[in-house]
Amino acid sequence: MVPRNPVVPAGGSLLVNCSTDCPQHELISLETSLLKEEVGTGLGWKAFRVNVTSDSKIFCSAICNGSQMSDSSDITVYEFPERVELAPLSPWNPVGKNFTLRCRVAGGAPRTNLSVLLLRGEEVLSQQLAVGEPAEVTTTVLASRNDHGANFSCRWELDLRPQGLGLFQNSSVPRQLRAFVLPGTPPHLSVPRFLEVGTSQAVTCILDGLFPASEAQVQLALGDQTLNATVVTHGDTLKATATATASAELEGAQEIVCNVTLGGESQETRENLTIYSFGGPVMNVSGTIRNMSQPTVHQGTTVNVTCAAGARVQVTLDGVPAAAPGQLALLQLNATERDDGRSFFCSAALEVDGVVLLRNRSVQLHVLYGPKIDPAKCPQHLMWKERTIQILRCQAQGNPDPQLQCLHEDSMAQVPIGIPFCVRLNYSGTYNCRAASSQGEHTFVVVMNVQERNPLTITIILAVLTTLGFVAAIPASIYVFGVHKRRDIYHVNQGNAGIPLTPKRPEGEPSS
């Protein structure tokens, strides 16, 4: 007969030998629905080649001694599936929610030996027999953080080991899962409340609890302008930083938006920003001399000091406010020497979104006026003794600072001013102290009277103090010295009467 219940590949051929040991056999035949071809015959046997296309049952029969004998065998066809495919996964799958793995297997036989497996990596999540054409197998998986980046696949297995042929299998192209966590809280956006036109300031957007933070997309925008953001992630925290620059076109109320997108979902935060223009305050001083780095006027000039700023700005000049916001403040004066070095202060106030912003500016006025020597700071009469150290204290005022010289009216000798010098007899006389600058000159007369030192007498008084509880006064000789022109006071050394007398000179007096 044939191998009992053979398993053959679809489209193949099978050699079937129908034989009998009956010596008186008659007709030997093969009955099958498959195409067959007789390929050989002999005593008690006949061979056929059968083209196998599907499962079938074959019958061999013969007549022996007038009786019919038969035998049968089942032919099982096996074939590998034509296609196995895992359905595409969602681009992103939220952690903590289920997703479905769906596998389709087309073809394959016998189905009783064909199973379909769904896998995560090499881990078998589900194994089911292939049913239907095409066979579709599904299973549900709870997404976790560990599933992010994992490969999922589908594999068919045709187990023909009971038929002695082995285990055949093939897998689909793997699909990578992307899992994510987007917190329910919006990002924290830090922005300035105000921003002046022409200035820039950093804007920061932070979102915690994001997974995977490195794959999130961040967009920072000021109005319709997208800001160039630098994104840094650490663990589940994302921080985006950008620089917002205020331009004149954006002046007014604006919004800064931070949008974080992950897994097709997004969280957004909006914060208000007021962009304002605050020019000035600008101060001007009229009547000034050109080519001067600081406001400078001549004495007697009528000076107008003004302060102005932009629209809606209230200015105040030296405590006096302008008539209305947007108007300038004016202060007029006739410049005198008392105004030299005078500072004028202007304050500008602008209300932005309920907050008053302040700016201050000041300007210092310089008044050019002629030299003047103040009698209170320069004595008219001086009486000094010769050979003493004195200082001529004399000051002149003016702008620019005048040069001051005191010259003897006869000898034109110059006496030092403001520094110590030794007085001599020939210094006596009248001095013309002259202060001069580009604005004119002023002369002041100082009379110096130097006195000659008079001859002095020296009195010596000797006194003896006793330790016995009483004092004895001893008359002393009185000597008059008229040799020197100074007075010395001598003291008796009480400890040793043999020590000579030494003079004690008055402080500051030079030695002879």
Side-chain angles (χ1 to χ4, degrees):
M1 181 55 189
V2 296
R4 185 63 60 185
N5 299 325
V7 177
V8 296
S13 61
L14 179 66
L15 186 62
V16 179
N17 185 6
C18 294
S19 61
T20 179
D21 56 1
C22 177
Q24 301 295 327
H25 69 274
E26 295 181 10
L27 179 66
I28 298 176
S29 64
L30 175 64
E31 296 180 12
T32 178
S33 61
L34 302 174
L35 293 175
K36 62 183 179 179
E37 176 187 4
E38 185 177 330
V39 295
T41 184
L43 182 62
W45 62 272
K46 186 176 288 189
F48 302 89
R49 185 180 302 279
V50 179
N51 293 326
V52 181
T53 57
S54 62
D55 291 348
S56 181
K57 197 176 187 68
I58 59 174
F59 296 90
C60 283
S61 63
I63 298 176
C64 183
N65 298 324
S67 298
Q68 184 176 8
M69 299 182 300
S70 65
D71 195 3
S72 65
S73 178
D74 291 323
I75 298 177
T76 302
V77 173
Y78 77 88
E79 61 179 343
F80 299 146
E82 299 173 1
R83 184 179 70 258
V84 56
E85 181 183 16
L86 183 67
L89 301 175
S90 297
W92 287 94
N93 295 270
V95 170
K97 292 188 178 181
N98 291 324
F99 65 95
T100 300
L101 295 176
R102 190 180 307 277
C103 179
R104 291 182 178 87
V105 177
R111 286 299 179 92
T112 54
N113 296 70
L114 181 63
S115 59
V116 181
L117 293 76
L118 293 168
L119 304 99
R120 175 171 48 206
E122 293 301 321
E123 177 190 0
V124 176
L125 301 176
S126 174
Q127 182 171 359
Q128 305 173 40
L129 287 176
V131 178
E133 182 57 42
E136 184 174 281
V137 174
T138 61
T139 190
T140 300
V141 181
L142 182 66
S144 69
R145 289 194 176 207
N146 293 332
D147 290 330
H148 180 67
N151 286 324
F152 291 82
S153 61
C154 174
R155 184 171 72 206
W156 58 258
E157 291 184 352
L158 185 60
D159 191 0
L160 300 180
R161 286 175 294 184
Q163 289 76 23
L165 294 179
L167 177 66
F168 303 93
Q169 59 184 21
N170 192 23
S171 297
S172 67
V173 174
R175 307 279 189 185
Q176 190 177 65
L177 182 75
R178 302 174 77 188
F180 75 98
V181 176
L182 183 66
T185 56
H188 177 71
L189 182 59
S190 297
V191 302
R193 184 174 177 183
F194 314 107
L195 197 59
E196 186 177 1
V197 170
T199 64
S200 300
Q201 196 161 336
V203 174
T204 303
C205 181
I206 299 176
L207 183 58
D208 294 321
L210 198 64
F211 174 83
S214 59
E215 297 195 39
Q217 302 295 317
V218 184
Q219 184 181 42
L220 279 167
L222 170 57
D224 296 331
Q225 297 180 1
T226 299
L227 304 179
N228 186 19
T230 300
V231 181
V232 177
T233 60
H234 180 72
D236 291 349
T237 300
L238 175 147
K239 179 180 180 180
T241 305
T243 299
T245 300
S247 61
E249 306 83 62
L250 297 174
E251 187 172 353
Q254 297 290 340
E255 272 190 338
I256 290 187
V257 181
C258 176
N259 183 284
V260 180
T261 302
L262 180 62
E265 300 179 9
S266 62
Q267 286 285 5
E268 186 175 276
T269 298
R270 295 174 177 265
E271 291 292 344
N272 293 327
L273 168 67
T274 300
I275 295 179
Y276 66 95
S277 179
F278 193 176
V282 176
M283 298 188 70
N284 288 312
V285 179
S286 70
T288 59
I289 303 173
R290 293 182 180 180
N291 302 323
M292 300 293 285
S293 59
Q294 296 176 326
T296 304
V297 299
H298 290 286
Q299 185 178 18
T301 303
T302 299
V303 178
N304 290 319
V305 182
T306 61
C307 177
R312 302 185 299 111
V313 181
Q314 176 70 53
V315 295
T316 302
L317 179 59
D318 269 11
V320 180
Q327 297 187 12
L328 61 79
L330 170 66
L331 180 64
Q332 189 177 77
L333 69 149
N334 188 26
T336 67
E337 62 182 77
R338 290 189 299 271
D339 296 315
D340 183 39
R342 178 178 174 182
S343 292
F344 300 89
F345 296 91
C346 180
S347 174
L350 175 65
E351 183 176 346
V352 179
D353 195 20
V355 176
V356 176
L357 305 179
L358 297 175
R359 277 192 182 161
N360 299 315
R361 184 161 294 180
S362 65
V363 65
Q364 190 177 50
L365 181 66
H366 297 272
V367 180
L368 299 179
Y369 62 95
K372 180 182 294 185
I373 300 176
D374 188 354
K377 297 181 179 179
C378 193
Q380 292 179 284
H381 298 281
L382 295 171
M383 183 172 291
W384 289 336
K385 292 185 180 295
E386 69 165 327
R387 287 189 294 168
T388 58
I389 305 301
Q390 303 292 343
I391 299 176
L392 175 58
R393 304 185 186 276
C394 193
Q395 296 181 13
Q397 296 176 334
N399 186 17
D401 291 334
Q403 297 292 325
L404 179 61
Q405 289 183 327
C406 290
L407 303 177
H408 196 285
E409 66 176 2
D410 294 329
S411 65
M412 300 303 290
Q414 182 175 344
V415 66
I417 300 174
I419 58 176
F421 66 96
C422 183
V423 179
R424 302 185 183 278
L425 277 174
N426 60 354
Y427 284 8
S428 291
T430 301
Y431 288 83
N432 293 318
C433 293
R434 177 177 175 269
S437 73
S438 61
Q439 300 300 304
E441 64 179 49
H442 181 235
T443 302
F444 187 80
V445 177
V446 175
V447 177
M448 186 184 302
N449 185 9
V450 180
Q451 295 180 342
E452 182 181 6
R453 289 197 174 189
N454 296 325
L456 301 173
T457 60
I458 302 175
T459 304
I460 301 176
I461 303 175
L462 298 178
V464 178
L465 305 178
T466 68
T467 60
L468 302 177
F470 62 92
V471 177
I474 303 176
S477 300
I478 299 176
Y479 299 87
V480 178
F481 297 85
V483 180
H484 301 288
K485 295 180 180 179
R486 68 170 181 261
R487 181 181 63 187
D488 293 335
I489 301 175
Y490 294 84
H491 300 274
V492 177
N493 189 317
Q494 300 178 8
N496 186 351
I499 297 177
L501 300 178
T502 58
K504 179 181 179 182
R505 298 179 178 87
E507 293 183 3
E509 183 174 320
S511 60
S512 59

